[in-house]
Amino acid sequence: MSKHIELILPIDIDSVKGFLSHAEGEALFRCASTLAQGAVAVEIGSYCGKSSVYLGLGCKATGSTLFAVDHHRGSEEHQPGEMFHDPQLVDDTGAFSTLASFRKTIRAADLDDSVIPVLSSSAQFARAWQGELGLVFIDGGHSLDAALLDYRSWAGSIAQKGLLAIHDVYPGSEAGGQAPITVYRLAMASGLFKEIMSVDSLRVLERL
């Protein structure tokens, strides 16, 4: 990662709901800021846009594009009665929805030209996608089935020297769910990736 582009946050990132540490966000920014002009990144799981800002700023600096993929109805853990449910993110129909918050975040960060929201499930968009990707960030559903589907849907589209970033990789269940680390181990065991960065719970792999 030879390029050095300064991260300047245009918004108060701490005001954006999300589960990404600033150090992890800076790492995502550095990853996106190495993309070639015209390259494409895909983010699986945007929530209210915190990670999208870091990735989007990196893409904006390099003339690349981020597709932010999320159905915005929340993962299993965001539903009523679950550990990470936020009653402030319930829309006027009574359903959990992060879409309005996401759009507000992207607009406030002046990223409408660099971040393209995709209102879809990861697997649906993957079926329609054609072409290679410079970066894939997986932070969608954390059930084992959802995480494996995200990996299997997108890993094959990552170009040589492209990056696969996985969030919430915890070595033990006492720290967090084990689906992301299962995906991480699967990627490493495939022989197609090598780890190049570890920041908090974020792991970044490079396609060989």
Side-chain angles (χ1 to χ4, degrees):
M1 296 196 179
S2 58
K3 294 183 182 180
H4 178 74
I5 300 173
E6 184 181 0
L7 171 60
I8 300 175
L9 289 166
I11 61 173
D12 176 10
I13 198 67
D14 292 331
S15 70
V16 181
K17 293 177 184 290
F19 310 97
L20 190 79
S21 73
H22 183 60
E24 291 168 339
E26 286 186 312
L28 290 177
F29 170 78
R30 291 200 302 274
C31 290
S33 68
T34 66
L35 294 173
Q37 184 174 7
V40 175
V42 166
E43 170 188 54
I44 307 303
S46 303
Y47 200 61
C48 294
K50 180 171 284 191
S51 56
S52 311
V53 168
Y54 288 104
L55 289 166
L57 289 172
C59 288
K60 184 175 183 177
T62 56
S64 51
T65 300
L66 173 67
F67 284 90
V69 183
D70 199 316
H71 49 57
H72 287 287
R73 290 302 184 189
S75 302
E76 298 87 345
E77 63 268 23
H78 300 136
Q79 303 311 311
E82 298 300 323
M83 181 180 297
F84 293 104
H85 177 66
D86 185 341
Q88 294 183 342
L89 296 174
V90 174
D91 65 17
D92 55 9
T93 71
F96 185 87
S97 177
T98 54
L99 181 58
S101 293
F102 170 81
R103 292 182 65 88
K104 179 180 178 181
T105 299
I106 297 306
R107 187 179 306 114
D110 193 25
L111 287 172
D112 283 321
D113 290 337
S114 301
V115 177
I116 300 175
V118 180
L119 193 62
S120 168
S121 73
S122 169
Q124 285 174 320
F125 188 52
R127 287 195 294 269
W129 179 258
Q130 297 181 7
E132 290 188 326
L133 297 167
L135 168 65
V136 172
F137 175 47
I138 296 180
D139 192 22
H142 282 24
S143 70
L144 182 58
D145 287 346
L148 288 175
L149 182 59
D150 287 341
Y151 171 74
R152 290 166 176 162
S153 295
W154 291 102
S157 295
I158 300 173
Q160 187 178 24
K161 300 293 185 181
L163 302 178
L164 170 63
I166 307 169
H167 192 225
D168 292 328
V169 176
Y170 296 110
S173 58
E174 68 282 354
Q178 296 297 283
I181 198 170
T182 300
V183 167
Y184 163 80
R185 288 168 175 161
L186 184 63
M188 292 297 290
S190 72
L192 298 174
F193 295 92
K194 66 176 181 179
E195 183 175 326
I196 61 170
M197 190 187 301
S198 174
V199 179
D200 294 343
S201 72
L202 179 72
R203 300 294 181 272
V204 180
L205 316 181
E206 182 180 78
R207 179 73 186 262
L208 299 174

